[in-house]
Amino acid sequence: MSMTIRKADDRGHARFGWLNARHTFSFGEYYDPAHMGFGPLRVINDDRIAPGGGFPTHPHADMEILTYVIDGALAHKDSLGNGSTIRPGEIQYMRAGTGIRHSEFNPSSSEPLRLLQIWVLPAERGTPPGYGQQRIDVLPVKNGLRLIASGDGRDGSVRIGQDVDLYAATLDGADTAELTPAPGRLGWVQVARGSVTLNGERLAEGDGAALSGETLLRLSDGDGAELLVFDMAP
Protein backbone atom coordinates (compact mmCIF):
# COMPACT_ATOMS: atom_id res chain seq x y z
CA MET A 1 0.00 0.00 0.00
CA SER A 2 1.33 3.43 -0.88
CA MET A 3 0.41 7.07 -1.15
CA THR A 4 2.55 9.71 -2.86
CA ILE A 5 1.58 13.36 -2.53
CA ARG A 6 2.12 15.77 -5.41
CA LYS A 7 2.28 19.19 -3.74
CA ALA A 8 0.62 22.12 -5.48
CA ASP A 9 3.80 24.22 -5.65
CA ASP A 10 5.79 21.35 -7.19
CA ARG A 11 3.60 21.23 -10.31
CA GLY A 12 4.69 22.63 -13.65
CA HIS A 13 3.82 26.27 -14.28
CA ALA A 14 2.91 28.07 -17.50
CA ARG A 15 1.89 31.71 -17.88
CA PHE A 16 0.84 33.27 -21.20
CA GLY A 17 -0.78 36.56 -20.25
CA TRP A 18 -4.40 35.40 -20.34
CA LEU A 19 -3.52 31.92 -18.99
CA ASN A 20 -2.00 30.96 -15.65
CA ALA A 21 -1.75 27.16 -15.54
CA ARG A 22 -0.40 24.51 -13.20
CA HIS A 23 0.37 21.08 -14.66
CA THR A 24 0.27 18.01 -12.41
CA PHE A 25 1.84 15.93 -15.19
CA SER A 26 4.08 16.78 -18.15
CA PHE A 27 2.24 18.96 -20.61
CA GLY A 28 3.19 21.37 -23.39
CA GLU A 29 6.57 22.96 -22.64
CA TYR A 30 6.64 21.44 -19.15
CA TYR A 31 8.41 18.08 -19.23
CA ASP A 32 9.27 15.96 -16.21
CA PRO A 33 9.96 12.27 -16.90
CA ALA A 34 9.03 11.48 -13.28
CA HIS A 35 5.53 12.87 -13.83
CA MET A 36 4.14 11.58 -17.12
CA GLY A 37 0.77 10.49 -15.75
CA PHE A 38 -0.60 7.87 -13.38
CA GLY A 39 -2.27 4.77 -14.74
CA PRO A 40 -4.62 5.92 -17.54
CA LEU A 41 -4.67 9.45 -16.08
CA ARG A 42 -2.50 11.58 -18.35
CA VAL A 43 -3.28 15.26 -17.68
CA ILE A 44 -4.61 17.37 -14.82
CA ASN A 45 -4.24 21.04 -15.69
CA ASP A 46 -5.38 23.69 -13.20
CA ASP A 47 -6.12 26.57 -15.61
CA ARG A 48 -6.92 30.15 -14.64
CA ILE A 49 -8.16 32.07 -17.68
CA ALA A 50 -8.49 35.85 -17.70
CA PRO A 51 -11.71 37.55 -18.86
CA GLY A 52 -12.01 37.28 -22.64
CA GLY A 53 -9.10 34.83 -22.88
CA GLY A 54 -9.16 31.29 -24.16
CA PHE A 55 -7.95 28.58 -26.48
CA PRO A 56 -8.76 29.14 -30.18
CA THR A 57 -9.94 26.23 -32.30
CA HIS A 58 -7.48 23.32 -32.09
CA PRO A 59 -7.57 19.56 -32.71
CA HIS A 60 -7.49 16.49 -30.46
CA ALA A 61 -7.49 12.77 -31.21
CA ASP A 62 -7.64 9.54 -29.18
CA MET A 63 -8.12 11.11 -25.76
CA GLU A 64 -10.93 11.21 -23.20
CA ILE A 65 -11.20 14.84 -22.03
CA LEU A 66 -13.11 16.01 -18.96
CA THR A 67 -13.56 19.62 -17.85
CA TYR A 68 -14.53 20.59 -14.30
CA VAL A 69 -15.21 24.30 -13.77
CA ILE A 70 -14.35 25.65 -10.31
CA ASP A 71 -15.10 29.37 -10.79
CA GLY A 72 -16.62 31.37 -13.65
CA ALA A 73 -17.95 29.94 -16.90
CA LEU A 74 -16.46 28.24 -19.97
CA ALA A 75 -17.82 28.73 -23.50
CA HIS A 76 -17.29 25.66 -25.71
CA LYS A 77 -17.74 25.08 -29.45
CA ASP A 78 -16.69 22.02 -31.43
CA SER A 79 -16.68 20.47 -34.89
CA LEU A 80 -19.59 18.18 -33.95
CA GLY A 81 -21.83 21.24 -33.78
CA ASN A 82 -21.97 21.49 -29.99
CA GLY A 83 -22.03 24.92 -28.42
CA SER A 84 -22.51 25.25 -24.69
CA THR A 85 -21.47 27.03 -21.51
CA ILE A 86 -20.10 24.99 -18.61
CA ARG A 87 -20.43 26.39 -15.09
CA PRO A 88 -19.59 25.19 -11.57
CA GLY A 89 -21.75 22.21 -10.70
CA GLU A 90 -21.39 20.63 -14.16
CA ILE A 91 -19.03 18.14 -15.79
CA GLN A 92 -18.18 18.26 -19.50
CA TYR A 93 -16.92 15.28 -21.47
CA MET A 94 -15.39 15.14 -24.92
CA ARG A 95 -14.25 11.97 -26.67
CA ALA A 96 -11.64 13.03 -29.20
CA GLY A 97 -11.59 9.63 -30.91
CA THR A 98 -10.75 9.80 -34.61
CA GLY A 99 -10.55 13.58 -34.37
CA ILE A 100 -12.37 16.62 -33.06
CA ARG A 101 -11.72 20.36 -33.16
CA HIS A 102 -12.93 22.74 -30.48
CA SER A 103 -12.44 26.14 -28.87
CA GLU A 104 -12.71 27.15 -25.21
CA PHE A 105 -13.08 30.72 -23.96
CA ASN A 106 -13.93 32.73 -20.89
CA PRO A 107 -16.97 34.65 -22.17
CA SER A 108 -16.99 37.14 -19.30
CA SER A 109 -15.57 40.65 -19.66
CA SER A 110 -14.87 40.90 -15.93
CA GLU A 111 -14.92 37.53 -14.14
CA PRO A 112 -11.94 35.14 -14.13
CA LEU A 113 -12.36 31.47 -14.99
CA ARG A 114 -10.74 28.56 -13.18
CA LEU A 115 -11.08 24.95 -14.29
CA LEU A 116 -9.49 21.54 -14.09
CA GLN A 117 -8.88 19.98 -17.50
CA ILE A 118 -8.40 16.22 -17.27
CA TRP A 119 -7.16 13.88 -19.98
CA VAL A 120 -7.56 10.11 -19.73
CA LEU A 121 -6.00 7.66 -22.17
CA PRO A 122 -8.76 5.74 -23.99
CA ALA A 123 -9.19 1.98 -23.78
CA GLU A 124 -9.63 1.90 -27.57
CA ARG A 125 -8.19 4.15 -30.26
CA GLY A 126 -10.03 5.27 -33.36
CA THR A 127 -13.51 5.47 -31.87
CA PRO A 128 -16.08 8.01 -33.14
CA PRO A 129 -15.79 11.40 -31.39
CA GLY A 130 -18.50 12.39 -28.94
CA TYR A 131 -19.66 14.95 -26.40
CA GLY A 132 -21.54 14.94 -23.10
CA GLN A 133 -22.45 17.33 -20.31
CA GLN A 134 -24.12 16.67 -16.97
CA ARG A 135 -25.16 18.59 -13.88
CA ILE A 136 -23.47 17.22 -10.81
CA ASP A 137 -26.01 18.19 -8.15
CA VAL A 138 -28.71 15.96 -9.69
CA LEU A 139 -26.56 12.84 -9.29
CA PRO A 140 -26.94 10.56 -6.25
CA VAL A 141 -24.50 10.67 -3.33
CA LYS A 142 -23.03 7.48 -1.89
CA ASN A 143 -20.64 7.53 1.06
CA GLY A 144 -20.19 11.27 0.56
CA LEU A 145 -19.19 10.96 -3.12
CA ARG A 146 -21.02 11.74 -6.37
CA LEU A 147 -20.09 9.58 -9.36
CA ILE A 148 -19.76 12.09 -12.22
CA ALA A 149 -17.98 10.00 -14.90
CA SER A 150 -17.51 6.28 -15.42
CA GLY A 151 -16.77 3.63 -17.98
CA ASP A 152 -20.36 2.34 -17.90
CA GLY A 153 -22.33 5.56 -17.38
CA ARG A 154 -24.10 4.26 -14.29
CA ASP A 155 -26.03 6.43 -11.84
CA GLY A 156 -26.41 9.20 -14.41
CA SER A 157 -22.67 9.81 -14.79
CA VAL A 158 -21.20 10.73 -18.16
CA ARG A 159 -19.84 7.65 -19.93
CA ILE A 160 -16.17 7.68 -20.91
CA GLY A 161 -14.12 5.22 -22.92
CA GLN A 162 -11.94 3.92 -20.10
CA ASP A 163 -12.28 1.91 -16.87
CA VAL A 164 -12.20 4.99 -14.64
CA ASP A 165 -14.73 6.08 -12.03
CA LEU A 166 -14.51 9.80 -11.26
CA TYR A 167 -16.20 11.13 -8.13
CA ALA A 168 -16.72 14.67 -6.84
CA ALA A 169 -17.09 15.66 -3.20
CA THR A 170 -17.43 18.76 -1.05
CA LEU A 171 -16.45 18.36 2.60
CA ASP A 172 -16.55 20.72 5.52
CA GLY A 173 -16.22 20.20 9.27
CA ALA A 174 -17.48 16.79 10.34
CA ASP A 175 -18.34 15.66 6.78
CA THR A 176 -16.64 12.45 5.63
CA ALA A 177 -16.42 10.49 2.39
CA GLU A 178 -15.17 6.96 1.84
CA LEU A 179 -14.29 4.78 -1.13
CA THR A 180 -13.30 1.12 -1.06
CA PRO A 181 -11.37 0.31 -4.26
CA ALA A 182 -11.34 -3.19 -5.67
CA PRO A 183 -8.01 -5.05 -5.39
CA GLY A 184 -5.41 -3.87 -7.88
CA ARG A 185 -7.08 -0.52 -8.60
CA LEU A 186 -5.26 2.81 -8.61
CA GLY A 187 -6.53 5.98 -6.98
CA TRP A 188 -5.88 9.67 -7.38
CA VAL A 189 -7.29 12.50 -5.25
CA GLN A 190 -7.10 16.10 -6.53
CA VAL A 191 -8.00 18.97 -4.22
CA ALA A 192 -9.65 21.74 -6.24
CA ARG A 193 -10.33 24.05 -3.31
CA GLY A 194 -9.80 24.19 0.45
CA SER A 195 -8.08 21.40 2.38
CA VAL A 196 -8.89 17.89 3.55
CA THR A 197 -7.36 14.89 5.30
CA LEU A 198 -6.87 11.72 3.22
CA ASN A 199 -6.00 8.57 5.16
CA GLY A 200 -4.35 10.69 7.84
CA GLU A 201 -2.41 12.97 5.46
CA ARG A 202 -3.34 16.64 5.08
CA LEU A 203 -3.87 17.88 1.52
CA ALA A 204 -4.16 21.55 0.60
CA GLU A 205 -5.65 23.29 -2.45
CA GLY A 206 -3.91 22.11 -5.61
CA ASP A 207 -2.38 19.04 -3.97
CA GLY A 208 -2.81 15.62 -5.55
CA ALA A 209 -2.26 12.14 -4.12
CA ALA A 210 -1.45 8.95 -6.01
CA LEU A 211 -2.62 5.76 -4.31
CA SER A 212 -1.96 2.11 -5.04
CA GLY A 213 -2.93 -0.96 -3.04
CA GLU A 214 -5.09 1.04 -0.64
CA THR A 215 -8.13 -0.85 0.63
CA LEU A 216 -9.89 2.30 1.88
CA LEU A 217 -9.80 5.98 0.90
CA ARG A 218 -11.15 8.05 3.78
CA LEU A 219 -11.60 11.81 3.43
CA SER A 220 -12.34 13.88 6.52
CA ASP A 221 -11.79 17.21 8.33
CA GLY A 222 -12.56 19.28 5.27
CA ASP A 223 -12.06 23.02 5.40
CA GLY A 224 -14.14 24.28 2.48
CA ALA A 225 -12.86 21.28 0.53
CA GLU A 226 -13.89 20.58 -3.06
CA LEU A 227 -12.16 17.61 -4.65
CA LEU A 228 -12.12 14.91 -7.30
CA VAL A 229 -11.45 11.23 -6.62
CA PHE A 230 -10.35 8.80 -9.36
CA ASP A 231 -10.76 5.01 -9.04
CA MET A 232 -8.91 3.50 -12.01
CA ALA A 233 -7.79 0.33 -13.66
CA PRO A 234 -3.96 0.16 -13.71
Side-chain angles (χ1 to χ4, degrees):
M1 296 186 293
S2 68
M3 175 165 61
T4 303
I5 297 174
R6 176 76 157 142
K7 300 299 291 183
D9 290 345
D10 293 337
R11 297 174 296 176
H13 190 203
R15 185 186 288 272
F16 301 107
W18 57 270
L19 174 66
N20 185 4
R22 289 285 185 177
H23 305 315
T24 295
F25 305 115
S26 295
F27 184 87
E29 296 181 2
Y30 168 64
Y31 175 72
D32 181 348
H35 296 94
M36 296 299 296
F38 184 67
L41 184 55
R42 178 61 187 84
V43 167
I44 302 179
N45 289 346
D46 189 339
D47 292 341
R48 298 172 188 264
I49 300 173
F55 301 93
T57 302
H58 58 282
H60 292 285
D62 288 322
M63 194 66 69
E64 307 291 291
I65 300 172
L66 294 155
T67 302
Y68 181 89
V69 174
I70 301 169
D71 294 306
L74 175 69
H76 165 95
K77 291 183 179 180
D78 65 44
S79 55
L80 299 180
N82 298 298
S84 61
T85 301
I86 303 94
R87 296 181 172 86
E90 296 178 305
I91 183 74
Q92 181 205 47
Y93 163 62
M94 190 171 66
R95 171 177 291 149
T98 53
I100 192 169
R101 296 176 62 82
H102 76 134
S103 63
E104 302 169 288
F105 282 90
N106 179 355
S108 174
S109 61
S110 59
E111 297 297 322
L113 163 65
R114 182 180 173 215
L115 60 86
L116 295 178
Q117 184 171 112
I118 299 151
W119 293 9
V120 175
L121 297 170
E124 297 182 36
R125 298 171 63 90
T127 57
Y131 181 86
Q133 189 173 334
Q134 175 64 281
R135 282 207 58 81
I136 291 172
D137 58 10
V138 302
L139 301 176
V141 178
K142 182 178 181 181
N143 297 329
L145 300 170
R146 292 183 191 273
L147 182 67
I148 61 175
S150 65
D152 56 10
R154 69 188 185 280
D155 296 333
S157 60
V158 295
R159 184 171 185 172
I160 67 174
Q162 182 54 274
D163 186 3
V164 172
D165 289 341
L166 173 59
Y167 299 88
T170 54
L171 300 174
D172 215 7
D175 298 337
T176 62
E178 292 187 348
L179 179 67
T180 304
R185 303 282 286 183
L186 299 176
W188 184 279
V189 174
Q190 186 68 37
V191 182
R193 197 195 318 262
S195 60
V196 70
T197 296
L198 168 64
N199 290 2
E201 296 287 341
R202 196 67 181 170
L203 301 178
E205 181 172 303
D207 289 352
L211 303 112
S212 59
E214 297 286 342
T215 57
L216 176 68
L217 277 60
R218 188 174 194 276
L219 296 148
S220 61
D221 303 314
D223 183 3
E226 182 176 358
L227 51 103
L228 297 179
V229 179
F230 298 80
D231 178 4
M232 307 177 287

